[in-house]
Amino acid sequence: MSRDRESTAINQVLRPAVFFDRDGVLNVDSDYLFEIDKFLWIDGAIEAVKAVNDAGYFAFVITNQSGVARGFYQETDVDRLHDWMAEQLAARDARIDAFEYCPFHPDGLVERYRRISDRRKPQPGMITDLLKKFPVDASKSFVIGDRSSDVEAARAAGLPGHVFAGGNLRDFILPLLANG
């Protein structure tokens, strides 16, 4: 379940990447968010994505979306929200290079999504899939999440993970970009 914003050529120069969790990092976490009218950006989130872009990093979103497996919403709803996020970012000259999400959950009510998946954090599948698709310099890349499962996924993929506990996301990320 991937929404790539840009295609990449095979012989491109490696670039570092920031892997953002979505709910609780880019937007205020409201359970099972899929409605645009309920979406609220975290303070400094758009500016953080722009700072990542301006620093020459890829910007990726990796998000568990078990609401699909639980029957609360459809994959098309996730895609619609991600498209809207991309439009909002573009209006501020910022971009996400790819949105990855995992709709699976072992306790899901929707049978086709009821399963264990290596893409569901704390497993690293979404990160490793992006590392295969894009020319990422993993040695300078990192994950930003708001839960231990985000940090565990980062570690499992061989990347550092940083816990964003709230506040202004741009202020949180600038020192991390400076150290990269």
Side-chain angles (χ1 to χ4, degrees):
M1 314 326 150
S2 167
R3 303 281 292 183
D4 295 347
R5 293 275 163 234
E6 295 182 1
S7 62
T8 58
I10 292 179
N11 293 324
Q12 283 187 322
V13 175
L14 294 180
R15 292 171 38 203
V18 176
F19 297 80
F20 291 98
D21 176 45
R22 194 188 81 183
D23 302 328
V25 175
L26 292 176
N27 60 275
V28 174
D29 192 356
S30 59
D31 288 337
Y32 304 109
L33 176 69
F34 70 95
E35 298 136 313
I36 292 167
D37 63 343
K38 293 184 180 176
F39 185 98
L40 294 171
W41 290 100
I42 289 279
D43 288 340
I46 293 173
E47 296 82 2
V49 173
K50 178 132 178 51
V52 166
N53 300 153
D54 291 348
Y57 285 60
F58 287 111
F60 300 130
V61 170
I62 52 170
T63 178
N64 287 342
Q65 291 298 311
S66 70
V68 174
R70 296 174 194 279
F72 297 150
Y73 48 88
Q74 307 291 318
E75 284 192 72
T76 54
D77 296 314
V78 178
D79 293 337
R80 186 178 307 110
L81 181 61
H82 288 168
D83 289 345
W84 178 85
M85 289 173 67
E87 291 168 9
Q88 295 291 302
L89 289 162
R92 301 276 296 275
D93 295 319
R95 78 180 176 289
I96 296 295
D97 294 290
F99 289 85
E100 293 282 336
Y101 66 93
C102 179
F104 304 109
H105 193 282
D107 300 327
L109 299 176
V110 180
E111 187 172 343
R112 74 182 266 221
Y113 296 109
R114 186 184 325 126
R115 69 177 175 94
I116 294 171
S117 172
D118 70 346
R119 291 174 52 83
R120 182 171 175 72
K121 295 179 284 179
Q123 300 303 313
M126 287 187 282
I127 298 168
T128 58
D129 287 350
L130 286 163
L131 292 173
K132 291 174 194 168
K133 283 199 240 179
F134 288 83
V136 174
D137 181 349
S139 71
K140 296 179 181 171
S141 299
F142 56 91
V143 174
I144 298 177
D146 65 330
R147 296 175 186 229
S148 62
S149 59
D150 299 314
V151 173
E152 290 173 43
R155 286 189 187 131
L159 301 178
H162 303 278
V163 175
F164 175 69
N168 185 293
L169 186 59
R170 180 183 173 275
D171 293 347
F172 178 84
I173 203 168
L174 285 178
L176 298 172
L177 294 173
N179 292 332

